[in-house]
């Protein structure tokens, strides 16, 4: 891959006798969605913290848009944005006030317009004047991601963005992530949900016990298993399909309008 958005080579990190990362290697193509898939404790968040300049690795190198994470952390911070596992929004402020605050902290001109544009982009205009404490989980997460996009970062890290969300809210966040990639933003997504990686990612790396044990497209990973056999199977709907069919496609919008 030439000029990747993110390049990780031989990253190691330990806490005393606990070896969290044991020589991690991967690259992320510009404008793509890359999923770092692994169970709890696999080292996903540690990897994101290193790439975000919040934590120093013990060995190895990492670059973002060609900028070395360890040698030039300030330069990296100008290129990235991070959305953690829990929405970092101020519940006392309105949705619009949260966005205006971040825009002002980034010294952007016309913070109000920046906020209004992002509210529209994330379908939060009608809720923009309401305190975030009244928002649903899906709305809070959408606002959180919107706040991460203030200033148009080239790379965004989403660390388990759908943790704790109901099925409908998860799909709302999935739609947002897909739109990010469609507009050219590079997305590094960590998740423990297999269906999330399958739905969103252009490439998937499986992190297990501090090592990447598989890395490729979904089609590549399927080739690691024996060829599929053709069998007749009566397919039953999943509980998620039943739930979403029963509540209808516009239920989330009605709930938000009524709140």
């Amino acid at each position: 891959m030439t000029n990747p958005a993110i390049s990780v080579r031989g990253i190691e990190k330990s806490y005393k006798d606990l070896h969290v990362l044991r020589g991690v290697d991967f690259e992320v193509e510009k404008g793509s969605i890359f999923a770092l898939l692994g169970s709890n404790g696999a080292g996903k968040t540690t990897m994101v913290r290193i790439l975000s300049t919040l934590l120093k690795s013990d060995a190895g190198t990492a670059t973002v848009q060609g900028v070395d994470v360890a040698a030039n952390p300030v330069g990296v911070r100008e290129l990235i944005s991070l959305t953690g596992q829990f929405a970092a929004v101020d519940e006392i402020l309105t949705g619009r006030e949260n966005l205006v605050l971040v825009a002002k902290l980034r010294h952007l001109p016309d913070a109000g317009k920046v906020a209004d544009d992002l509210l529209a982009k994330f379908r939060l205009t009608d809720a923009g004047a309401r305190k975030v404490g009244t928002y649903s989980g899906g709305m809070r997460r959408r606002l959180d991601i919107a706040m991460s996009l203030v200033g148009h970062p080239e790379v965004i890290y989403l660390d388990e963005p759908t943790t704790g969300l109901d099925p409908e809210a998860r799909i709302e966040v999935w739609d947002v992530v897909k739109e990010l990639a469609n507009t050219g933003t590079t997305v590094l997504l960590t998740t423990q949900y297999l269906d999330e990686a399958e739905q969103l990612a252009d490439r998937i790396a499986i992190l297990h016990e501090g090592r990447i044990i598989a890395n490729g497209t979904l089609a590549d990973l399927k080739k690691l298993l024996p060829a599929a056999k053709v069998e007749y199977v009566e397919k039953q709907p999943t509980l998620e399909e039943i739930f979403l069919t029963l509540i209808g496609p516009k239920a989330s919008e009605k709930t938000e309008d009524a709140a």
Side-chain angles (χ1 to χ4, degrees):
M1 188 184 303
T2 59
N3 300 320
I6 301 171
S7 178
V8 173
R9 289 284 178 268
I11 289 293
E12 298 179 13
K13 184 63 182 179
S14 298
Y15 298 98
K16 295 184 178 180
D17 295 333
L18 177 62
H19 302 293
V20 180
L21 299 176
R22 302 166 180 259
V24 174
D25 301 278
F26 63 83
E27 290 184 345
V28 180
E29 185 178 353
K30 292 180 180 179
S32 69
I33 301 174
F34 184 93
L36 197 57
L37 177 65
S39 56
N40 285 333
K44 303 186 301 297
T45 296
T46 298
M47 189 69 250
V48 169
R49 287 175 61 81
I50 290 171
L51 289 172
S52 305
T53 75
L54 300 175
L55 187 67
K56 291 186 177 181
S57 64
D58 298 331
T61 61
T63 61
V64 179
Q65 301 288 61
V67 181
D68 189 280
V69 170
N72 189 2
V74 174
V76 169
R77 290 172 200 155
E78 293 175 350
L79 299 168
I80 67 169
S81 190
L82 169 65
T83 297
Q85 295 182 25
F86 304 100
V89 295
D90 191 318
E91 297 189 355
I92 298 176
L93 300 178
T94 67
R96 187 176 189 275
E97 288 170 342
N98 270 275
L99 289 165
V100 167
L101 176 62
V102 175
K104 288 182 176 180
L105 288 173
R106 289 182 176 265
H107 306 290
L108 298 181
D110 202 350
K113 185 178 186 306
V114 172
D116 292 337
D117 288 347
L118 285 168
L119 287 171
K121 181 181 179 68
F122 287 88
R123 306 192 316 280
L124 290 169
T125 299
D126 292 342
R130 286 167 37 196
K131 291 186 183 298
V132 174
T134 68
Y135 283 18
S136 67
M139 292 170 70
R140 291 185 191 202
R141 181 51 88 184
R142 294 203 321 260
L143 176 63
D144 194 26
I145 297 175
M147 291 166 63
S148 296
L149 291 179
V150 172
H152 303 289
E154 299 179 41
V155 177
I156 182 170
Y157 305 136
L158 301 178
D159 190 13
E160 302 201 25
T162 62
T163 297
L165 297 184
D166 61 49
E168 192 177 10
R170 287 182 71 207
I171 291 175
E172 289 179 0
V173 173
W174 289 358
D175 289 341
V176 168
V177 175
K178 291 175 184 176
E179 180 62 25
L180 289 178
N182 289 339
T183 56
T185 304
T186 302
V187 179
L188 173 62
L189 167 79
T190 75
T191 183
Q192 58 182 308
Y193 301 124
L194 279 69
D195 59 336
E196 188 158 272
E198 186 172 359
Q199 285 285 333
L200 296 177
D202 299 302
R203 292 185 68 86
I204 301 167
I206 300 176
L207 183 62
H208 180 65
E209 295 182 348
R211 292 187 175 92
I212 299 291
I213 60 172
N215 185 351
T217 65
L218 181 60
D220 293 334
L221 297 183
K222 286 181 177 180
K223 292 177 183 177
L224 298 176
L225 298 180
K229 295 187 295 183
V230 178
E231 297 179 348
Y232 173 78
V233 178
E234 181 179 348
K235 184 180 183 297
Q236 296 292 330
T238 66
L239 181 58
E240 183 171 299
E241 290 171 338
I242 295 170
F243 176 82
L244 293 172
T245 299
L246 290 175
I247 65 174
K250 300 296 183 180
S252 63
E253 296 177 10
K254 293 178 181 178
T255 301
E256 292 172 8
D257 291 342

